Amino acid sequence: MLTKIARMRRYFGQSMRLMVGVPEYSTYVDHMRSTHPGQPVMSYEEFFRERQEARYGGNGKVTRCC
């Protein structure tokens, strides 16, 4: 029962992050380690910042109306 609740919580969190445009960090790390071994892996903070800049632009200003 506890495992099922933990799994549901994890899926819910993942869904919420994807809705706002933030991919799962663990998926990124797994991809980097399996596909690009030897290349540096961004920290969670670097990953989050990079995803935010990719979504909203690097100038710090939101260019969308909503």
Side-chain angles (χ1 to χ4, degrees), residues 6-54:
R7 190 176 324 138
M8 288 173 52
R9 182 178 173 199
R10 187 174 133 237
Y11 289 144
F12 178 75
Q14 181 181 22
S15 297
M16 296 308 294
R17 282 187 290 277
L18 289 172
M19 277 192 234
V20 297
V22 179
E24 185 76 23
Y25 179 69
S26 60
T27 303
Y28 158 75
V29 172
D30 292 343
H31 169 78
M32 288 299 290
R33 288 185 178 154
S34 65
T35 310
H36 308 284
Q39 290 188 1
V41 176
M42 290 185 277
S43 69
Y44 178 80
E45 291 79 15
E46 292 169 328
F47 173 79
F48 183 81
R49 211 172 314 123
E50 192 274 332
R51 292 289 78 218
Q52 289 295 306
E53 288 179 9

